[in-house]
Amino acid sequence: MNEILEKANKLGMKIPAITSEEIDEAVKPVLREMEKNGIKLDVKVFGKLEKNLASELDKLVRSIHTLAGRDFNVASPSQLADVLFDELKLPTNNLKKTKDGFSTAASELKKIEDQHKIISLILEYREIAKLISTYLKPLPLLVDENSRLHTTYGMETSTGRLNSSEPNLQNIPIRGKYGEKIRSAFVADKGMKLISADYSQIELRVVACLAQDRAMIESFKNGDDIHTQTAAEIFGISLSKVTSDQRRKAKAVNFGIVYGQTPYGLSQSLAIPIDEAALYIKNYFDIHTGIKNYVNKMITMGHDKGYVETLFGTRRYLPNLKSHIRYIAEAEERIAINSPVQGTAAEILKLAMIELDKRLSTEYRVPSTKGAATSSGLGTRDSQLLLTVHDELVVEAPAKHADEIAKLVKEVMESVVTLCVPIEANVSIGDNWNK
DNA sequence: ACAATGGTCC
DNA sequence: ACTCGGACCATTGTA
């Protein structure tokens, strides 16, 4: 048993006596089953959306060419940079540079969005082109005879997370103008429902416990809105005075904590001055001394042992920690901070998958030898795990028993480990992945 | 075939 | 001078 686990159990957390290697062995067959199950895609919805967006895209290209004064390939960053910065002479003050010339990344273009009408059109072009080329066109070509998509899950990431490829079903759009529409095309089969369950702030809860951060543990125990709580702390105001913009900034601070926060990184993600970002971080660490200690501890451990590890013992080796090139060493420090958190969260989800698969097959699955209902009253089809997206599980279940199975999913996810704070899963039932 | 750039997700 | 953690994939443009 590793140090972290020993200490965790002493602190009253109930952590199963199992190693990361054993978790991985046990989750493998579950993954193979999920791959075989697949998820149904409503190809018609995709077809209609593609048609509509293709014509949108066409209009956008024409408008962009008109505003530019000539035809060019909007999808080419180098041609686009020529048009924007050489020909239209848009300001390049705060813009990041690439190897040759200025960046045309969306985050950079947003800084000059009010300088020319063409910018917002380009951003819209990019959004739509992305959806068509990455999702709307390729995915329908991959469905089987039952219109189901089958991904391949891998376990070779450096933190212990799972990955999904061919196709990747872990980056299906959810935000933006068309995210919901795309997700709604992932549907339950006839007579079935999709149950989607995601952990709420699992990584922050994990780091609160790994770091034994008093303030954060208190917040989670109280069931506070963690981002509002953080806003009150870093702005030095009372909870009721927190504005939505302050909450947004605090949310970025909380995300940053898990990534190994730097003033520069926070300033980039919020598009604010570095000084301002540095102040937020300072204020945060003044209150969250546990987190501050955790950060130092992981870096020290990385230096002493050459690796850091998760609750269940997944190791991340850190050969670059002693690099004399500053930014290389600093990047490795952020990895040292993030890996135990991201990796532990991944282990918790794997444990939930293993347990849920077990419960679904013993309690809610029709024996394959018979087509008839069982004593549990289920119909002729199984309930089954379909997808895993880092902190989310998607299950397909007979409509008649969706409520019951949704309760089981939530129960399993929330009790598979007992951390120092409650872990909460939000569950929804619907005909598609949207809800 | 491969690197660079950009973008989607957690 | 210059970066935030982990993935996968599309397109462009060069080799």
Side-chain angles (χ1 to χ4, degrees):
Chain A
M1 195 183 295
N2 73 46
E3 265 174 58
I4 302 179
L5 218 165
E6 252 173 68
K7 196 168 159 196
N9 282 325
K10 255 182 234 159
L11 287 162
M13 300 191 239
K14 272 185 254 165
I15 312 297
I18 184 171
T19 65
S20 57
E21 287 89 352
E22 291 164 345
I23 292 176
D24 283 351
E25 275 311 303
V27 84
K28 263 183 201 163
V30 180
L31 295 176
R32 298 294 86 86
E33 198 182 323
M34 293 166 71
E35 291 170 355
K36 207 183 335 157
N37 292 339
I39 185 166
K40 186 173 177 183
L41 183 69
D42 188 333
V43 176
K44 275 194 212 156
V45 170
F46 259 40
K48 280 181 198 163
L49 193 51
E50 188 197 340
K51 228 177 201 177
N52 292 341
L53 291 188
S55 89
E56 269 308 299
L57 199 61
D58 200 64
K59 287 185 218 160
L60 283 166
V61 172
R62 284 200 297 264
S63 304
I64 289 167
H65 287 168
T66 302
L67 286 172
R70 69 175 176 92
D71 287 5
F72 69 102
N73 186 351
V74 187
S76 163
S78 78
Q79 291 183 38
L80 180 59
D82 287 344
V83 167
L84 296 182
F85 307 122
D86 292 345
E87 300 170 21
L88 295 179
K89 309 219 179 299
L90 296 180
T92 54
N93 299 346
N94 309 318
L95 299 194
K96 270 191 189 162
K97 283 193 161 176
T98 61
K99 211 161 56 75
D100 34 40
F102 291 100
S103 165
T104 68
S107 57
E108 302 308 301
L109 294 185
K110 275 183 191 141
K111 296 175 186 169
I112 53 170
E113 196 169 358
D114 54 355
Q115 297 291 323
H116 199 292
K117 280 189 299 188
I118 200 172
I119 301 295
S120 62
L121 298 184
I122 290 163
L123 292 171
E124 203 170 337
Y125 168 92
R126 287 252 181 89
E127 181 180 4
I128 293 174
K130 176 76 179 179
L131 297 179
I132 292 175
S133 71
T134 306
Y135 307 100
L136 295 174
K137 264 186 183 303
L139 292 186
L141 303 178
L142 298 174
V143 300
D144 68 12
E145 63 277 11
N146 298 315
S147 205
R148 296 179 83 92
L149 277 172
H150 305 268
T151 184
T152 302
Y153 289 108
M155 298 201 300
E156 279 71 48
T157 65
S158 36
T159 58
R161 266 192 177 181
L162 299 169
N163 62 344
S164 159
S165 63
E166 292 182 283
N168 182 1
L169 296 183
Q170 291 181 326
N171 71 345
I172 302 301
I174 187 170
R175 312 185 191 108
K177 218 166 156 186
Y178 308 99
E180 281 192 12
K181 281 184 183 161
I182 288 184
R183 286 235 168 180
S184 71
F186 289 77
V187 297
D189 205 350
K190 216 174 164 79
M192 308 287 280
K193 292 280 184 185
L194 287 187
I195 298 165
S196 165
D198 66 300
Y199 280 120
S200 160
Q201 286 122 17
I202 185 72
E203 292 192 346
L204 282 177
R205 291 172 200 261
V206 164
V207 76
C209 295
L210 292 182
Q212 286 295 302
D213 186 86
R214 302 256 289 271
M216 211 191 270
I217 290 172
E218 188 66 16
S219 300
F220 279 126
K221 280 189 173 169
N222 289 341
D224 296 338
D225 177 318
I226 191 72
H227 302 314
T228 302
Q229 179 68 38
T230 298
E233 292 163 1
I234 64 178
F235 292 105
I237 58 181
S238 64
L239 284 172
S240 58
K241 289 265 170 65
V242 173
T243 66
S244 61
D245 191 60
Q246 287 169 325
R247 186 181 182 279
R248 179 183 65 86
K249 288 175 172 170
K251 191 172 174 177
V253 170
N254 280 330
F255 273 108
I257 293 311
V258 175
Y259 299 156
Q261 188 77 268
T262 67
Y264 178 82
L266 184 64
S267 74
Q268 287 300 302
S269 71
L270 286 177
I272 57 173
I274 293 185
D275 291 355
E276 189 181 337
L279 179 65
Y280 297 156
I281 293 170
K282 182 190 178 302
N283 289 347
Y284 184 89
F285 281 127
D286 281 349
I287 291 171
H288 294 274
T289 53
I291 299 291
K292 196 183 176 117
N293 290 334
Y294 166 83
V295 165
N296 294 330
K297 205 168 127 191
M298 289 305 108
I299 294 170
T300 301
M301 175 169 169
H303 276 288
D304 292 350
K305 297 192 173 180
Y307 64 84
V308 291
E309 63 186 343
T310 64
L311 196 52
F312 295 91
T314 301
R315 287 184 186 177
R316 176 76 183 262
Y317 287 88
L318 304 161
N320 293 325
L321 215 46
K322 294 179 193 300
S323 170
H324 295 296
I325 305 170
R326 175 99 80 89
Y327 77 93
I328 298 278
E330 286 176 347
E332 199 85 322
E333 290 181 359
R334 293 191 291 271
I335 291 171
I337 295 162
N338 174 265
S339 293
V341 180
Q342 187 182 121
T344 299
E347 290 164 343
I348 292 171
L349 195 76
K350 285 177 185 170
L351 284 171
M353 291 167 65
I354 293 162
E355 178 65 15
L356 191 58
D357 178 70
K358 198 183 296 175
R359 298 283 296 269
L360 289 177
S361 59
T362 58
E363 299 169 30
Y364 291 94
R365 188 158 298 173
V366 178
S368 56
T369 49
K370 296 178 191 168
T374 64
S375 56
S376 69
L378 284 187
T380 54
R381 276 212 61 176
D382 291 358
S383 57
Q384 50 196 8
L385 263 164
L386 304 187
L387 301 179
T388 169
V389 194
H390 309 307
D391 66 354
E392 173 184 14
L393 296 177
V394 177
V395 171
E396 191 173 30
K400 278 169 69 177
H401 300 88
D403 286 339
E404 192 185 340
I405 292 174
K407 266 177 67 181
L408 175 71
V409 172
K410 183 177 168 70
E411 162 65 21
V412 167
M413 287 176 76
E414 292 182 347
S415 66
V416 71
V417 293
T418 304
L419 295 184
C420 72
V421 297
I423 54 177
E424 196 178 300
N426 296 312
V427 183
S428 67
I429 303 171
D431 293 319
N432 61 62
W433 197 3
N434 230 346
K435 209 188 145 273

